[in-house]
Amino acid sequence: MLHYTIRRLLISIPTLLFISLVIFLLLDLAPGDPMASIPLTVPPEVKEKMREALGLGEPVHIRFLNWMYQFFVVEPQVLIDHIFGTGFAEGKQRIISFQSRSPVMAVVAERMPQTLWVVGLSYIFATLIAVPIGIVSAYRQYSWFDQLGTFISMIGFSIPTFFSGVLLIVVFSVILGWFPSIYDTTLEVTDWSSFLQQVKQMAMPVFVLTLYNAAQVSRFMRASMLDNLNQDYVRTARAKGMSERVVVLMHVLRNSMIPVVTVIALGVPNIFGGAIITEQVFQVNGLGQMLITAIYASDAPMVQTLTFIFAVLIVLFNLIADILYGILDPRIRYD
């Protein structure tokens, strides 16, 4: 397993380099000008100097190599300096956002807590709810619990999050006035009153995302459990006199988790990417909304950095899912 992990990590290096190149070229070829938001009263020669200050006058390969150096060398040095108080990155140019004129990674670190609180918490809730529902629905197939779980899952998976989000805002914010319709990112939890306010403003976006993610995971869990419940090894375990709890939880569940692990692991990068539509609906000032704003503003460094971070997370959690396969199923061997 160790040799396989090292081999996959080495293979991922050229893969990620190629992905970063493709992203950079697509952004370079995309229409849009970061100087478009500059007032028309600014003289053309001043705009040209601003373009040169942003590095837009350099050739494509020079700009790409500069971004690579800043992302893989300068930004890690900044992190080391922040943790240990060293000065490795002192005086070195970081990745600068065209829109805010501030370091991209600093803005990402500022926005990430909002995304982790809302999107991350909803994904944890969805996983904790969906796995037991899928297990019980499969074990008691066609029961009232299974029918109810299937009905709710179909609703959660079929209704888009922008519709369910707006519906909740209309009902619970506009009509009933129970929850705020806009997420207040400036709220600081210092006492019990502010904590309740934080819970209230998180309730609707977390519920929308939990319903959508839980619907997907529970369907995979149910289908995988049904596929394994009819296998020969289950009948053999029952014939040996094992209790149903041991058969289902120790044997069937372990094998059924293999495809579900893929769904859960590959969904984790979405936590950092943020549920873009949901963040827009509830005005959550997270990474998803920041990505949309950067695209509108033609902020290439911001878009390049965010999309590459998402690509790294996808490759990483693909590897984690493959490693978990070997842990869950002893028959799977990579060495």
Side-chain angles (χ1 to χ4, degrees), residues 67-92:
W67 179 86
M68 292 277 290
Y69 174 77
Q70 292 166 354
F71 186 88
F72 289 104
V73 178
V74 178
E75 294 298 340
Q77 289 178 348
V78 172
L79 180 61
I80 294 173
D81 293 345
H82 179 73
I83 296 174
F84 299 103
T86 55
F88 295 117
E90 187 175 353
K92 295 182 180 179

Side-chain angles (χ1 to χ4, degrees), residues 159-192:
I159 299 178
T161 54
F162 67 85
F163 178 81
S164 58
V166 172
L167 182 63
L168 289 181
I169 289 175
V170 171
V171 175
F172 293 102
S173 294
V174 178
I175 298 177
L176 299 177
W178 290 355
F179 303 105
S181 60
I182 297 178
Y183 192 94
D184 183 11
T185 56
T186 62
L187 177 65
E188 294 184 2
V189 179
T190 56
D191 52 18
W192 182 251

Side-chain angles (χ1 to χ4, degrees), residues 15 20 45 87 95 159-160 164-165 186:
T15 302
S20 65
E45 57 272 13
I95 303 175
I159 299 178
S164 58
T186 62

